Amino acid sequence: MTVIILTACPEGLRGHLTQWLLEISAGVYVGHVNSRIRQRLWAKVVEMAGPGRALLVYQRPGEQRLTFEVHDHHWEPVDFDGITLMRRPTDRSSYNPAVGPGWSKASKRRRFGRRAPDGGSGSSVPSEPSEGKSGS
């Protein structure tokens, strides 16, 4: 089984892949082709991808029974003790400055409890007078 996933690639490449593989979703191609055809298809994908990205997944003997190849993709396949994993980029470009670092106000309240402004016990309900005192 061979799977090719394209992102932002030209229509001509998509048309070329439909000659050999079945397009099951936009930019996702699946099919059974031999290794020679798969290598030629991948070479054509790399040649025609332009500014787009491509990911190839295919069967291979071994523990995982598959392997990956990427072209201009942010995620990269990495061999980790005989198992191929996809490494996600660790740059800070995905950082959202609107969220800000540290704990949210709600989590601080849950973690540390509500504190009275005067630094008291944290109870916002005033205490009732004791029975021993006269109120009038």
Side-chain angles (χ1 to χ4, degrees):
M1 167 96 50
T2 300
V3 179
I4 297 178
I5 302 170
L6 302 178
T7 306
C9 288
E11 293 294 322
L13 175 59
R14 296 178 70 182
H16 180 72
L17 287 177
T18 56
Q19 294 175 1
W20 296 95
L21 304 171
L22 178 65
E23 186 173 15
I24 61 170
S25 183
V28 180
Y29 300 87
V30 180
H32 286 282
V33 293
N34 62 29
S35 62
R36 184 177 61 101
I37 299 296
R38 181 185 65 238
Q39 289 171 356
R40 288 187 179 189
L41 282 174
W42 184 245
K44 194 70 160 176
V45 166
V46 170
E47 175 188 326
M48 295 180 66
R53 299 182 308 199
L55 175 69
L56 169 69
V57 182
Y58 59 94
Q59 289 180 330
R60 187 171 181 160
E63 188 172 343
Q64 274 185 305
R65 299 178 60 190
L66 56 90
T67 190
F68 312 96
E69 291 186 31
V70 295
H71 172 71
D72 284 346
H73 208 278
H74 298 297
W75 293 32
E76 61 179 328
V78 177
D79 185 85
F80 184 75
D81 290 336
I83 297 175
T84 304
L85 302 174
M86 294 299 284
R87 178 184 295 162
R88 195 173 2 176
T90 58
D91 61 348
R92 298 288 290 180
S93 64
S94 63
Y95 172 70
N96 186 355
V99 173
W103 296 85
S104 68
K105 290 179 182 178
S107 66
K108 287 179 188 176
R109 286 188 199 111
R110 281 194 304 270
R111 186 170 184 192
F112 301 112
R114 292 184 182 232
R115 306 277 183 202
D118 61 355
S121 64
S123 173
S124 60
V125 178
S127 59
E128 297 180 13
S130 61
E131 292 180 19
K133 296 181 181 177
S134 60
S136 30

